Amino acid sequence: MAGNFELQGRHGKSRVRVSRVWRRPAAAGGDIIVEWNVAVSVVSDCLPSYTSSDNSAIVATDSIKNTVYVKAKECTEVVSMEEFAVILGRHFTSLYPQVSEATVTIVERPWERVVVDGKPHSHGFKVGVEKHSTEVIVKKSGSLLINSGIQGYSLLKTTQSGFEGFVTDRYRLLPDTRERIVATEVTAWWRYPFEHVSQLPSKPFCFTQRYQDVKKVLSDTFFGPPDVGVYSPSVQNTLYLMAKEVLTRFPDISSIQLRMPNLHFLPVNLGSKENPLVKFADDVYLPTDEPHGTIEATLSRPMSKL
């Protein structure tokens, strides 16, 4: 309590950019590089720093920043960013008695190995598009929460999508159709079932591989078989099928949240009925993402909440 008021605070360091290279010979797959944008936020018992001039209990944000680099150096073996976030969280909650909780958020810049003459390059990389992200919360008690996700995952199919059967009122202008482009930029967050640091597997769990697996399942479900595809009656239904397939395929994921804006490709018709300059025939569109429909949902296993 601070006087007659209740005070809660947290502090930390954001936008700590760190890159780590693990050197490996070409025969072992070549070098590995990651680039992470790290944010650390701690809850600590430092009330006097807010109510008076006593800063003796504050873990300096400069220390928090420098710890990110020190811990990256100490990771002599390849670690996923989820593992790195747990390492940071456990450090802050164990080293400092006054710190009761640490939240570590990391967004990865997607450096991808290049292929030259059909062979993966040992030390050459290019920047990809969609970004892997994670948020890890560690408490002094060892309580643990690990969410991972993907941002900016753009998907589009030119057919096998419809718009029909929606509420028809005086405000709806779009006609029913079984033929339209569907495009979206997926944001996904999924939760792992580990609720305490003691539950983490003794053999390292490959969070990075699971991220790649989830990404592939989302894409495969959206598109369907390569020769015929799969019909999408709505973004809502496609979203549900994508989320359901992730939970069906991966028992180590307890829930998943998907946000899928409907990025529109509007048919182009130019001219009048009497003098059409361009008449739309499922071939010319105006791409626009403003305004766009927003569809999102969370799918969880029983007794699991995201």
Side-chain angles (χ1 to χ4, degrees), residues 57 77 80 83 99 110 114 130-131 142 165 175 226 277 298 304:
E77 299 294 330
S80 67
E83 292 169 318
V99 174
V114 299
E130 59 273 356
K131 295 180 179 180
L277 180 61
T298 299
S304 174

Side-chain angles (χ1 to χ4, degrees), residues 211-230:
Y211 164 75
Q212 297 292 345
D213 294 340
V214 171
K215 188 168 102 169
K216 184 177 187 303
V217 167
L218 292 174
S219 173
D220 289 354
T221 308
F222 178 88
F223 292 116
D227 50 347
V228 296
V230 60

Side-chain angles (χ1 to χ4, degrees), residues 251-291:
D252 48 42
I253 292 177
S254 57
S255 58
I256 182 168
Q257 180 186 72
L258 289 176
R259 178 179 300 160
M260 294 173 55
N262 193 357
L263 308 179
H264 300 298
F265 282 70
L266 305 178
V268 171
N269 286 294
L270 297 180
S272 63
K273 291 182 179 180
E274 296 76 19
N275 184 26
L277 180 61
V278 171
K279 185 172 178 57
F280 177 69
D282 294 328
D283 51 4
V284 179
Y285 301 83
L286 170 64
T288 178
D289 57 5
E290 295 181 356

Side-chain angles (χ1 to χ4, degrees), residues 6-259:
E6 183 175 347
L7 175 63
Q8 294 180 329
R10 60 170 61 235
H11 72 281
K13 203 78 163 183
S14 297
R15 297 182 180 273
V16 182
R17 296 181 62 183
V18 58
S19 184
R20 180 64 158 96
V21 177
W22 290 278
R23 305 289 182 185
R24 304 189 309 178
D31 293 349
I32 292 178
I33 184 171
V34 295
E35 181 182 337
W36 293 330
N37 193 323
V38 182
V40 179
S41 176
V42 299
V43 176
S44 65
D45 183 11
C46 57
L47 182 62
S49 66
Y50 289 91
T51 59
S52 66
S53 59
D54 182 1
N55 297 329
S56 59
I58 295 181
V59 180
T61 63
D62 182 58
S63 298
I64 294 174
K65 175 199 69 176
N66 295 333
T67 298
V68 173
Y69 299 115
V70 172
K71 292 301 176 182
K73 174 67 175 179
E74 292 177 356
C75 290
T76 55
E77 299 294 330
V78 177
V79 296
S80 67
M81 66 180 188
E82 288 88 351
E83 292 169 318
F84 187 64
V86 172
I87 289 170
L88 289 175
R90 296 185 71 175
H91 168 84
F92 289 113
T93 54
S94 61
L95 181 62
Y96 302 103
Q98 67 272 37
V99 174
S100 59
E101 178 181 303
T103 300
V104 182
T105 304
I106 304 177
V107 178
E108 183 173 59
R109 192 176 190 199
W111 288 106
E112 300 173 349
R113 193 177 303 277
V114 299
V115 175
V116 177
D117 294 333
K119 296 178 60 177
H121 201 281
S122 65
H123 56 271
F125 298 84
K126 63 181 178 65
V127 175
V129 180
E130 59 273 356
K131 295 180 179 180
H132 184 186
S133 54
T134 192
E135 180 184 76
V136 173
I137 301 175
V138 181
K139 295 187 178 182
K140 190 177 289 294
S141 64
S143 175
L144 181 66
L145 185 65
I146 303 178
N147 287 326
S148 291
I150 185 170
Q151 302 175 14
Y153 193 24
S154 297
L155 304 174
L156 177 151
K157 56 184 184 179
T158 57
T159 187
Q160 288 283 56
S161 174
F163 176 84
E164 55 184 347
F166 290 82
V167 173
T168 300
D169 55 27
R170 60 182 296 198
Y171 302 102
R172 175 187 154 186
L173 299 180
L174 293 176
D176 281 3
T177 180
R178 290 184 61 85
E179 181 60 61
R180 68 169 181 168
I181 290 176
V182 62
T184 188
E185 187 174 281
V186 179
T187 298
W189 280 99
W190 56 90
R191 175 168 293 180
Y192 291 102
F194 313 117
E195 297 181 349
H196 194 277
V197 293
S198 63
Q199 295 178 352
L200 290 171
S202 55
K203 182 180 180 181
F205 179 84
C206 192
F207 290 98
T208 303
Q209 182 59 51
R210 182 61 73 244
Y211 164 75
Q212 297 292 345
D213 294 340
V214 171
K215 188 168 102 169
K216 184 177 187 303
V217 167
L218 292 174
S219 173
D220 289 354
T221 308
F222 178 88
F223 292 116
D227 50 347
V228 296
V230 60
Y231 182 71
S232 171
S234 66
V235 176
Q236 285 86 344
N237 179 251
T238 297
L239 181 154
Y240 169 73
L241 294 176
M242 292 164 69
K244 179 183 176 183
E245 189 64 19
V246 168
L247 294 188
T248 300
R249 290 282 299 276
F250 308 118
D252 48 42
I253 292 177
S254 57
S255 58
I256 182 168
Q257 180 186 72
L258 289 176
R259 178 179 300 160

